Amino acid sequence: MTKFKGIIFDMDGLMLDTEGMYGATSEKAAALVGLPYSDAFERQFTGAGFDLRQRKYHEAYDEELGADVVDAFLAKCDELVQVEFNSGNIDKKEGLDNLLAYAQNHDIQCIVASSNNRDAVENLLDANQLTDKFVDIVTSADVDIAKPNPAIFNLAQQKLGFQKEEVLVLEDSKNGILAAKNANIPVIMIPDVIQPTAELRDISHAVLPSLNHVIDYI
């Protein structure tokens, strides 16, 4: 008998190998417009929404470089990311297909809850033949505040129709882990570009090396 009736999946860095690409395109965009790039600064937005990232870049660089330069950087990031999306070279993370097959065979309902925009989520799921594996999709467009606010996970849990203790969140980022904690929903961390700290280990039900290992916990 399974422990959970539903699983909430993050997308970027959890199901699809996109987080490294986001960092690389941001670094390239910064060089093109003359904005200093810091990997540590960029990484703090992993799993969070675009609005937070936009606001923080403007706060950090408007006075030094001007808002126009920051806007140009953000627009160039979007342009370069779209090129990568269109390339078809976004790989699925290890164990994703096995986990989704296990969930289907054991009547575990799966839903996506991503801080990305809806068009990006739908296009990436379609490109990787994943859309029909999920009962629904929740994105940043569906909530007022993105992760680490719990709204996106609360909405996903409500759409699943199960109690919080019957649902499991799968996440790779600090912002996602904190959002699950704030929603009071059990979470497992599968690290990607963000490595687990003592705080994240304490919050997480488990920290696992890949999605293949989740099957043992559900």
Side-chain angles (χ1 to χ4, degrees):
M1 183 176 179
T2 59
K3 302 173 186 176
F4 298 101
K5 296 180 179 180
I7 302 176
I8 302 173
F9 285 75
D10 175 49
M11 185 185 73
D12 290 303
L14 186 282
M15 292 197 291
L16 300 176
D17 193 13
T18 52
E19 293 294 5
M21 177 270 291
Y22 291 142
T25 53
S26 294
E27 185 172 9
K28 183 177 181 179
L32 289 171
V33 305
L35 184 144
Y37 179 78
S38 164
D39 190 59
F41 187 80
E42 178 69 27
R43 289 273 178 95
Q44 68 181 305
F45 310 118
T46 301
F50 175 78
D51 289 346
L52 174 64
R53 179 172 177 265
Q54 181 182 43
R55 186 176 77 251
K56 290 297 185 181
Y57 266 103
H58 276 290
E59 289 175 357
Y61 294 109
D62 276 9
E63 184 174 350
E64 176 186 356
L65 301 174
D68 289 348
V69 172
V70 177
D71 286 337
F73 162 72
L74 295 169
K76 182 59 69 173
C77 286
D78 289 345
E79 177 187 327
L80 294 174
V81 165
Q82 194 58 53
V83 170
E84 293 297 323
F85 284 173
N86 293 339
S87 73
N89 293 327
I90 305 298
D91 294 326
K92 288 185 281 190
K93 296 298 292 284
E94 178 187 350
L96 176 62
D97 288 335
N98 289 340
L99 177 56
L100 289 172
Y102 180 91
Q104 184 176 28
N105 291 335
H106 290 81
D107 297 320
I108 300 172
Q109 300 295 301
C110 298
I111 189 170
V112 176
S114 171
S115 293
N116 215 322
N117 66 76
R118 179 165 289 274
D119 285 346
V121 173
E122 291 180 346
N123 290 340
L124 286 171
L125 293 179
D126 285 345
N128 287 278
Q129 295 81 50
L130 293 170
T131 302
D132 63 351
K133 308 298 183 183
F134 299 96
V135 298
D136 211 336
I137 298 168
V138 181
T139 73
S140 58
D142 300 309
V143 295
D144 292 332
I145 308 176
K147 305 169 190 175
N149 187 279
I152 198 165
F153 287 147
N154 284 332
L155 181 56
Q157 175 253 327
Q158 291 163 15
K159 285 179 174 288
L160 286 173
F162 303 129
Q163 297 299 310
K164 291 188 174 185
E165 63 270 18
E166 298 175 319
V167 175
L168 176 67
V169 170
L170 299 179
E171 264 288 355
D172 66 292
S173 72
K174 177 179 179 178
N175 286 312
I177 300 295
L178 293 176
K181 176 190 176 184
N182 293 334
N184 198 30
I185 300 175
V187 59
I188 285 178
M189 182 180 190
I190 296 91
D192 185 46
V193 297
I194 304 297
Q195 294 306 302
T197 61
E199 177 193 17
L200 297 180
R201 289 185 182 277
D202 287 343
I203 294 170
S204 301
H205 185 70
V207 177
L208 303 176
S210 79
L211 292 169
N212 273 324
H213 296 78
V214 175
I215 293 172
D216 293 334
Y217 286 81
I218 59 174

